Amino acid sequence: MLDTFGRVGAAAVIGVGLVIPGTDSPVAPPLEAAQFQLTATVLAMGGLGYETVGPELMRRVLAGRFANEENLVGLPWPGELAPFNGTLTLNESVAVGLETLDTAIRNTPGQKIVVGASGSTLAVNEVMRRLANDPNGPDADEISFVVLGDADRGVFKQVRGLTLPVFDYTVPRVPVTKYDVTVVAGEYDGIGDWPDRPWNLLAVLNALAGTGLLQQIIDEPIVEQYRLEDWGSVHYDAMFADLDQVPEENITTTVNRKGGTTTTYLIPTADLPLLRPLKNLGVQQNVIDGLEKVLRPIIDSAYIRNDAVRNTPPSVGTAVRPGARTGTATTRAVQPPAAAKSVPVAAAATA
């Protein structure tokens, strides 16, 4: 399932952010040269179940962030998660995706934007780690990454270093790299925005409802009877969000020891996923609103980002969260992505 705009057009790979550079010359370059500079190659990889993604889908990602790019390249990967989907384990799928991304990056001239969505973000993280340790890797101003709905930064963050036996996947630390990275997560998405305090079972149930996965694993008659399809998928919807509309308080920027800038966008979710089916089940709106006021503060208390605003009025279901932060690192106000900043985006895909 946008990092900083500020470099020349890039070849985008899922997980990489677009950068548009300036020029040292006081004289405007010829039209042809300017067009070349502003054109990036976007290399995108889909999520589990998406062996590849096409240009039409890529143009819809992040509200058309890459729609005007001429070179939109969908990279194949297995997208399997045995024993639930296919014959390859998650670890094996990531290994194949890593080699595909590495080859595409090294064989694509000019600026590159690598975009990873959902499951393939794990492969994007691995290629970032490999390039960070490669003296012959691309320069920092040559490539950027965008990751959408990243499980390594979400649901897996509390088990780093452990091997998940069902998935055959050892959870790594987030790579420290000289490259700019844009991270996009939907609020209450159980894959990309897992609660920091999982003993808060209400928050866990709400996060699971936000993934869009429960409708696929619960018996169909139950899904239909209780309208669980109305849970929707915060995980999926966030991949098509307009980053220009994200409130500044939901944007966090950090710079690591290698100089790489990570910009994280937390896409607000106006209503609790757990309560979405109630309206179509005939529950009155005033009752739903009352439940929101009671449950949302309890759920929000499971996220560390809300600790600093415990004494402020809780959110009551509006799209703009009061004082919400997307991380515990030092935060500064960031202008919404514009043509002068590079922003990473990931191609949409569901687990």
Side-chain angles (χ1 to χ4, degrees), residues 326-345:
T326 56
T328 57
T330 302
T331 307
R332 70 169 185 267
V334 177
Q335 295 300 321
K341 294 194 75 177
S342 104
V343 178
V345 185

Side-chain angles (χ1 to χ4, degrees), residues 248-264:
E248 287 190 2
E249 60 266 29
N250 282 33
I251 304 171
T252 299
T253 300
T254 60
V255 179
N256 64 39
R257 65 177 181 272
K258 292 188 177 181
T261 298
T262 296
T263 304
T264 301

